[in-house]
């Protein structure tokens, strides 16, 4: 079997704020932007790449999601426990400095982890955990 990851999804509440974070701060390019207002699906990926995409989506747009589930999703997003993505870079310090300068909420400064990775962590504008590993 030959599989690759095509897309990963992260929720957003304010598309412009999330777009600014992923496009302007992290340098991802917009591949698709459909919908309007808070009902936008924005597909981004590493500049110049054609591989895996990140889709920013409205978290409770599915008509099958109940009001109780919508409240639970909103509560988890507010705490930063609903979704997470792990990125990697060759320049962890430079990336950390750039993201921190953008005003993003720092969760963890660059740290050598006991499991063998050096990483840092931020929350994006929707509260999603964004961990960034150093490529070795």
């Amino acid at each position: 079997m030959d599989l690759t990851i095509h897309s990963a999804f992260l929720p957003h509440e304010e598309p412009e704020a999330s777009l600014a974070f992923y496009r302007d701060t992290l340098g991802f390019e917009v591949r698709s932007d459909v919908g309007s207002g808070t009902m936008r699906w924005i597909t981004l990926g590493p500049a110049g790449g054609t591989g895996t995409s990140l889709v920013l989506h409205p978290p409770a747009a599915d008509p099958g999601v109940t009001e109780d589930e919508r409240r639970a999703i909103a509560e988890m997003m507010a705490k930063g426990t609903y979704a997470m993505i792990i990125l990697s870079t060759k320049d962890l310090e430079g990336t950390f400095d750039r993201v921190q300068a953008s005003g993003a909420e720092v969760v963890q400064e660059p740290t050598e982890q006991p499991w063998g990775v050096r990483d840092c962590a931020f929350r994006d504008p929707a509260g999603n955990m964004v961990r960034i590993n150093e490529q070795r």
Side-chain angles (χ1 to χ4, degrees):
M1 193 176 321
D2 182 20
L3 296 174
T4 60
I5 297 172
H6 181 268
S7 302
F9 285 71
L10 285 179
H12 72 73
E13 292 178 317
E14 298 176 24
E16 290 303 323
S18 291
L19 182 58
F21 179 78
Y22 287 98
R23 181 194 58 208
D24 303 337
T25 300
L26 295 182
F28 286 5
E29 65 184 7
V30 176
R31 296 181 179 161
S32 173
D33 187 344
V34 299
S36 63
T38 59
M39 296 302 284
R40 282 172 68 187
W41 284 257
I42 306 165
T43 304
L44 304 107
T50 58
T52 305
S53 295
L54 173 62
V55 181
L56 304 176
H57 69 97
D62 185 326
V65 176
T66 68
E67 280 307 311
D68 286 343
E69 291 167 334
R70 288 181 211 288
R71 278 192 295 279
I73 290 168
E75 289 171 8
M76 292 178 73
M77 285 177 67
K79 293 189 326 188
T81 59
Y82 186 67
M84 175 172 67
I85 189 168
I86 300 175
L87 306 172
S88 66
T89 182
K90 292 179 182 175
D91 180 14
L92 185 64
E93 297 296 330
T95 301
F96 175 84
D97 291 344
R98 179 178 173 158
V99 177
Q100 183 181 37
S102 78
E105 179 185 342
V106 175
V107 175
Q108 175 201 301
E109 294 189 7
T111 303
E112 190 71 39
Q113 300 293 354
W115 53 87
V117 67
R118 181 170 170 74
D119 71 353
C120 64
F122 295 90
R123 286 179 57 172
D124 76 5
N128 300 306
M129 180 69 67
V130 178
R131 297 198 74 84
I132 305 173
N133 291 351
E134 182 176 61
Q135 294 175 3
R136 294 183 175 179

